[in-house]
Amino acid sequence: MTTPFQKASEWIDAENAQDPNIETDQNKEYPKELLYSNRMYERLMQFEPNASEEIQIASKAQHICRWKVARESYPMDRVGYLKWREELKKFHAKTTSEILEKAGYDQTFIDRVSFLIEKKLLKKDHETQLLEDVICLVFLEYYLEPFVHKHDEEKLKNIIKKTWDKMSEKGHQEALKINYSEENLNLIKASLGL
């Protein structure tokens, strides 16, 4: 018999598999948000093997159907960017809630997953912080490299510093274990004054 968790996971994957944006990982092509979802879930389970079912789902659904809310549909300035990010959180939470309801979860469970996806009470709620750590770890491991080629050094240092400030001490320790290129490791050290 299929559990609600298995159903929800399959449906989240099916939604993310529709992403028209393709990313290559180890010579294999994936829909971008499906790859991101898999990386989030794998990193969570490495980092916190006893993670609750709520946070497991929140990690998989963190960017669910993200391509449907285009950045270009908001003003291309800081205010527009922040508005887009806020709307995305609500959109991801709503999309996930509909899946969880269909999978048979109760409202308390659904509300908790939404709370986590919307990153409420960061630094105060243990699981919200855990999710933020995982987001930052996945960024540093897989997405820092493409950023390096797009931005100047000062902007990169600022991005790394902001990422670091969002993380817990446990997240920091884990981040320093990632196998970075020598160039990126030097950049991280310079950004953090290590």
Side-chain angles (χ1 to χ4, degrees), residues 8-23 25 28-42 59-67 138 143:
S9 294
E10 279 173 27
W11 291 337
I12 289 165
D13 285 350
E15 288 295 326
N16 280 328
Q18 294 174 46
D19 189 350
N21 304 295
I22 300 299
E23 210 166 276
D25 181 51
K28 194 170 174 213
E29 290 191 335
Y30 297 89
K32 184 181 174 188
E33 295 308 344
L34 180 62
L35 180 61
Y36 179 78
S37 174
N38 291 340
R39 285 170 168 170
M40 283 288 295
Y41 182 73
E42 283 163 19
S59 74
K60 285 186 73 63
Q62 184 61 30
H63 278 186
I64 190 166
C65 299
R66 192 178 193 116
W67 67 93
V138 167
Y143 301 98

Side-chain angles (χ1 to χ4, degrees), residues 54 57-58 96 100 109-118:
E54 289 91 337
I57 287 173
T96 307
L100 296 179
F109 186 96
I110 294 168
D111 289 347
R112 181 65 180 160
V113 173
S114 290
F115 177 96
L116 293 169
I117 288 174
E118 291 187 45

Side-chain angles (χ1 to χ4, degrees), residues 53-136:
E53 210 165 290
E54 289 91 337
I55 199 161
Q56 288 182 49
I57 287 173
S59 74
K60 285 186 73 63
Q62 184 61 30
H63 278 186
I64 190 166
C65 299
R66 192 178 193 116
W67 67 93
K68 292 183 179 179
V69 184
R71 170 68 186 98
E72 295 73 36
S73 58
Y74 293 82
M76 296 305 283
D77 56 16
R78 178 104 182 115
V79 174
Y81 174 75
L82 293 173
K83 178 103 176 93
W84 173 66
R85 291 293 300 265
E86 272 313 301
E87 291 301 318
L88 272 175
K89 285 185 209 170
K90 289 177 187 154
F91 169 73
H92 297 321
K94 183 177 184 294
T95 306
T96 307
S97 294
E98 288 164 3
I99 287 172
L100 296 179
E101 201 174 328
K102 201 168 70 166
Y105 281 105
D106 65 28
Q107 198 56 49
T108 306
F109 186 96
I110 294 168
D111 289 347
R112 181 65 180 160
V113 173
S114 290
F115 177 96
L116 293 169
I117 288 174
E118 291 187 45
K119 295 200 272 189
K120 292 186 177 171
L121 294 182
L122 185 59
K123 297 281 185 191
K124 293 188 179 121
D125 183 278
H126 169 70
E127 287 190 317
T128 302
Q129 184 58 54
L130 172 57
L131 186 62
E132 186 64 44
D133 278 346
V134 172
I135 291 165
C136 293

